[in-house]
Amino acid sequence: MTAVTVLGIGNPIMADDGTGLALAERLSRSCAGDPRVEVVDGGTGGMELVPVVQDAERLLVLDAVAGPVPGTVVHLTGDQVPRLLATKLSPHQVGLLDVLAAARLLGREPRQVEVVGVVPEVVDLRLGLSDVVAGVLDVATATARGVVERWLAEDDDAGHP
């Protein structure tokens, strides 16, 4: 089992809705070669992602996150995560809530789930991220990388390989 699963979700032909995939691509490059980290392009997979979620020990979800100020980098942990997932920004987020619920009903879910994302400016049929969102990708990637490094350090401290 992989120690950390990073799941980027979104739709790259819907402008800033592709934020999660852009973050996953950047994080994949920075974690390249570390066998403890698996980065998955979840796209708009919906229920097809149940096995990915079930196999995750720790799950970091990267996505566009609803909020009032476009370009805000958001990091949600613990009880904040279900509230985010109940917020409907796009159809795939409803699917992710269903995926997490299905994993729980099937008896296997991640021990920890955290979300890093960016509040979108434009969610419309268009390729590419808005300048506002593209301008904060470095900050969001560093935030996501921080989550991964913290989890790996916790495993090292606990003596897990």
Side-chain angles (χ1 to χ4, degrees):
M1 180 178 291
T2 305
V4 175
T5 300
V6 178
L7 179 60
I9 57 175
N11 188 342
I13 65 168
M14 294 296 289
D16 292 341
D17 191 51
T19 300
L21 301 179
L23 290 173
E25 182 179 323
R26 287 168 164 248
L27 197 58
S28 180
R29 285 194 301 262
S30 75
C31 295
D34 190 331
R36 303 171 296 170
V37 180
E38 179 183 24
V39 179
V40 177
D41 179 340
T44 57
M47 294 304 278
E48 296 171 7
L49 299 174
V50 170
V52 173
V53 171
Q54 284 187 295
D55 290 344
E57 181 67 19
R58 289 178 164 146
L59 179 65
L60 174 60
V61 177
L62 306 174
D63 197 4
V65 177
V69 181
T72 302
V73 175
V74 178
H75 176 202
L76 302 171
T77 64
D79 292 343
Q80 296 173 317
V81 174
R83 281 182 277 160
L84 161 78
L85 297 175
T87 303
K88 297 176 185 176
L89 176 63
S90 62
H92 66 83
Q93 287 182 315
V94 174
L96 183 60
L97 180 60
D98 293 339
V99 168
L100 290 170
R104 176 173 288 173
L105 288 172
L106 293 169
R108 176 82 182 109
E109 60 184 322
R111 182 166 42 106
Q112 287 180 285
V113 178
E114 295 192 20
V115 176
V116 172
V118 179
V119 176
E121 180 180 54
V122 178
V123 179
D124 204 354
L125 187 59
R126 169 179 119 179
L127 288 173
L129 301 175
S130 68
D131 290 343
V132 169
V133 170
V136 299
L137 285 182
D138 286 345
V139 174
T141 302
T143 302
R145 180 70 189 177
V147 172
V148 170
E149 289 175 354
R150 176 173 37 89
W151 283 345
L152 293 176
E154 288 173 4
D155 281 350
D156 290 344
D157 290 344
H160 297 289

